[in-house]
Amino acid sequence: MSDTFLAVLVGIAVVALATRLVLAPLPLGRFAARASALDTALLAVGSAGLVLHCGAMFFRVEVSRLPGTHFAIRAINLMGTSSRIWFIVPAILVVLGLRRQTPLAVAAVSAALVAVGITMYDHGPLSTHLHAILAAVIVLSGVVALLVRPPWYRSPAIRVR
């Protein structure tokens, strides 16, 4: 994974979330759902786990600077059962964190994460796996930016005439 590709991934997430801050109609009204504090925590921990997994595979030196990551890096890079668990558990946490969203959004994120997992372990070309990662980042960032209302969100007051 090149630094340019990584910058594009981060840029997509930043632009999606910044767009939400700039555009008042986001999240999208009737399609959006309020996330609980638990949902937000599951989404954050799952996302961090997926970033750790990706970082352990493509940025070993940088990730190894974090205390206690040597075991995880080794387990992930062996590409065996423990590597799969290090991917599947965070992916499940992300999906659980989005469970209150519209079923189509949850299905899209789930499908994108399944595609990442399949392309990671099918011994196919790296470019296919990188495209799956790109798609997953776009889908996940889009769902969070367009649909997820934070736990502190309160519905606007209803005006009575």
Side-chain angles (χ1 to χ4, degrees), residues 10-86:
V10 171
I12 288 168
V14 167
V15 167
L17 297 176
T19 300
R20 178 182 180 143
L21 297 175
V22 174
L23 297 177
L26 294 179
L28 296 175
R30 65 185 175 118
F31 298 109
R34 185 172 167 261
S36 69
L38 176 61
D39 296 336
T40 304
L42 290 170
L43 183 59
V45 170
S47 296
L50 292 173
V51 168
L52 172 68
H53 194 281
C54 199
M57 295 185 86
F58 295 107
F59 301 100
R60 291 180 193 129
V61 174
E62 291 81 359
V63 173
S64 68
R65 292 181 186 145
L66 298 171
T69 57
H70 295 288
F71 171 75
I73 292 169
R74 185 170 185 277
I76 290 167
N77 283 302
L78 288 176
M79 300 292 286
T81 302
S82 60
S83 178
R84 287 177 170 86
I85 291 169
W86 275 95

Side-chain angles (χ1 to χ4, degrees), residues 106-131:
V106 176
V109 170
S110 299
L113 291 172
V114 166
V116 170
I118 289 172
T119 60
M120 185 179 345
Y121 297 106
D122 73 349
H123 306 292
L126 178 60
S127 63
T128 304
H129 179 56
L130 294 176
H131 284 101

Side-chain angles (χ1 to χ4, degrees), residues 136-154:
V137 167
I138 291 169
V139 170
L140 182 57
S141 296
V143 166
V144 170
L146 296 174
L147 298 176
V148 178
R149 289 190 172 127
W152 55 86
Y153 176 84
R154 297 289 178 244

